[in-house]
Amino acid sequence: MNVIEKGSYEDYGWFFAEQDIFVLNYLLSENQVELGDFADTLNLIVNRAKDNAYFVVIDRLENNPTFQNSVSAQLAGAGLSVLSEREFHRTNTVADPETDLGDYLTRFNRRPRRWFRTFNHREPTAFSIVAQKKP
């Protein structure tokens, strides 16, 4: 499946009509060179999604805001209402204690990432956008 190509989604219209939340997790930054082609794909998904469905984009925050602005513009261009945009920087941490993870630490023998920072502590790291299809 080519996640950017509209034709890859043609057979999934029935599936989109049943979903309340669509999550695009690092999908777009990995395909930035084809981001312009994604507009048609996003329009197809939004048109087949039910009213009030949410679209959540979590992706790489870059020093240049062009990518994030393009994603936000594509969501709005597909008829979605952008409800919130948030940036996660090195200073942000997950406030929940590790004890909330139950047996995760022993089952997987590793600690989960609970902070937002990049290699050598360079800024920035991630952003999220929440949008909704209004009736």
Side-chain angles (χ1 to χ4, degrees):
M1 176 180 204
N2 181 339
V3 296
I4 297 297
E5 185 179 300
K6 178 182 171 183
S8 294
Y9 294 87
E10 291 288 345
D11 295 333
Y12 295 100
W14 61 271
F15 182 72
F16 298 146
E18 297 177 3
Q19 305 311 307
D20 294 314
I21 301 174
F22 294 82
V23 178
L24 305 173
N25 189 30
Y26 288 91
L27 175 81
L28 301 176
S29 62
E30 296 300 321
N31 294 284
Q32 282 190 53
V33 294
E34 299 177 89
L35 193 57
D37 297 336
F38 186 67
D40 288 338
T41 303
L42 182 61
N43 285 329
L44 171 79
I45 295 169
V46 169
N47 287 336
R48 293 186 178 181
K50 65 182 174 180
D51 288 343
N52 297 315
Y54 289 93
F55 289 75
V56 180
V57 175
I58 304 162
D59 222 311
R60 185 175 66 232
L61 181 66
E62 300 176 350
N63 287 319
N64 182 336
T66 302
F67 170 65
Q68 183 178 353
N69 292 341
S70 294
V71 171
S72 187
Q74 278 203 2
L75 293 171
L80 298 173
S81 297
V82 175
L83 303 177
S84 71
E85 295 191 44
R86 183 167 181 202
E87 294 181 357
F88 300 91
H89 298 275
R90 187 178 87 135
T91 56
N92 296 125
T93 60
V94 177
D96 301 327
E98 283 187 350
T99 55
D100 286 353
L101 297 173
D103 66 346
Y104 176 97
L105 300 175
T106 54
R107 287 179 55 218
F108 294 99
N109 196 27
R110 66 183 308 172
R111 299 177 70 205
R113 180 177 171 190
R114 298 177 61 237
W115 54 88
F116 299 94
R117 62 178 169 226
T118 56
F119 185 66
N120 291 331
H121 305 287
R122 287 180 279 178
E123 296 265 359
T125 58
F127 72 87
S128 67
I129 302 173
V130 178
Q132 187 177 29
K133 180 180 178 180
K134 298 289 186 177

